Amino acid sequence: MTSAATQPSNSRASVPPRAVKALHTGSGDPLLLLHGIMMSPHCWEGVAQRLSSTCEVFAPALPGHWGGPEVHDRHLGVKALADRVEQQLDEMGWRTCHIAGNSLGGWIGFELALRGRARTLTAIAPAGGWHNPSMAMLRVGAEFLSLAAIAAIGNQLPPSALLSAPVRRATAMFLCKNGAAASRAGIEAAVMSATHCPATLPLIASEMVTPPLADLSKVRAPVRLLLGEYDRVIPNRVFAKRFLRELPDSADRILIHGVGHVPMLEAPDRVATLIAEHVYASRTRLRAV
């Protein structure tokens, strides 16, 4: 697995985090892990390590994100990102696979599921549950515009300041409920990912004109929806309503207590277990048929 070492939150990172094109590890059922906007494959390291004994895990860096392919389009939409991921699946020979996605990655996961590429889908605090136009869409767009401005300032700082304790604490508080539970390496990678994401503005611009997700009841793959109890980025009370309402009755709806928007950072054991359960249940269903 190409990654930085995962370390306890109170340890000193041995080397600064480096960009990776993808994490690819393990053997077994094919499992695609998709990160959120301004994040990178690093956020999946703990989960990928835990699932590698039963799954072949592939977590790519999305275009325009830290470690991902460069983008030159001023409008970079979810469908274009899904096209790129689908191309990678074809190159790997994965006609279908299990998919887990967080935030933007969850949105892309739904798009891939609607295209018939998902054996199962685990959507973790997924984005895209708003209508267009809507106040919810404008709110999340404004939020990420402000984050992009902060990240642009941070990108001008020397590494010693960019990865300083105050910046790490602020980042952990935003992404997690219990930042102390996240590894220092994971938080540092999140800082680097946010400050090296030229896709942010093109994605926001595209979001303003992008049609909403298709009718979620049309998703045929088994879906498990995971929501963080203390999600500060896209709070459940506003942004989870459509998922809760439109997903088929057969879909799991689980609130993960005590975590924020990116629970893989602070609770990789729980997230890995919830994904593994969903994958295992699909095997059981297939054997029953």
Side-chain angles (χ1 to χ4, degrees), residues 195-207:
T195 54
H196 294 78
C197 185
T200 303
L201 294 181
L203 277 167
I204 294 171
S206 176
E207 175 192 304

Side-chain angles (χ1 to χ4, degrees), residues 75-148:
H75 297 279
L76 178 67
V78 169
K79 291 186 183 297
L81 293 177
D83 289 343
R84 171 55 182 155
V85 174
E86 199 167 17
Q87 179 184 347
Q88 291 176 298
L89 297 181
D90 291 340
E91 291 169 355
M92 296 177 66
W94 289 9
R95 177 64 191 88
T96 61
C97 60
H98 301 282
I99 301 174
N102 173 234
S103 194
L104 172 64
W107 189 352
I108 297 170
F110 275 109
E111 177 65 33
L112 292 171
L114 288 165
R115 300 181 185 189
R117 303 303 297 256
R119 299 183 189 181
T120 64
L121 173 61
T122 303
I124 306 168
W130 46 78
H131 293 285
N132 189 353
S134 68
M135 289 303 298
M137 180 205 68
L138 293 173
R139 174 179 170 180
V140 76
E143 179 178 35
F144 278 100
L145 278 174
S146 64
L147 288 175

Side-chain angles (χ1 to χ4, degrees), residues 16 157-168 184 188 192:
L157 298 175
S160 59
L162 181 60
L163 301 178
S164 63
V167 174
R168 295 199 311 271
R184 174 169 174 168
E188 288 186 347
M192 295 294 291

Side-chain angles (χ1 to χ4, degrees), residues 189-222:
V191 174
M192 295 294 291
S193 302
T195 54
H196 294 78
C197 185
T200 303
L201 294 181
L203 277 167
I204 294 171
S206 176
E207 175 192 304
M208 299 301 174
V209 296
T210 298
L213 274 167
D215 184 354
L216 296 173
S217 65
K218 296 180 179 179
V219 177
R220 293 291 174 257

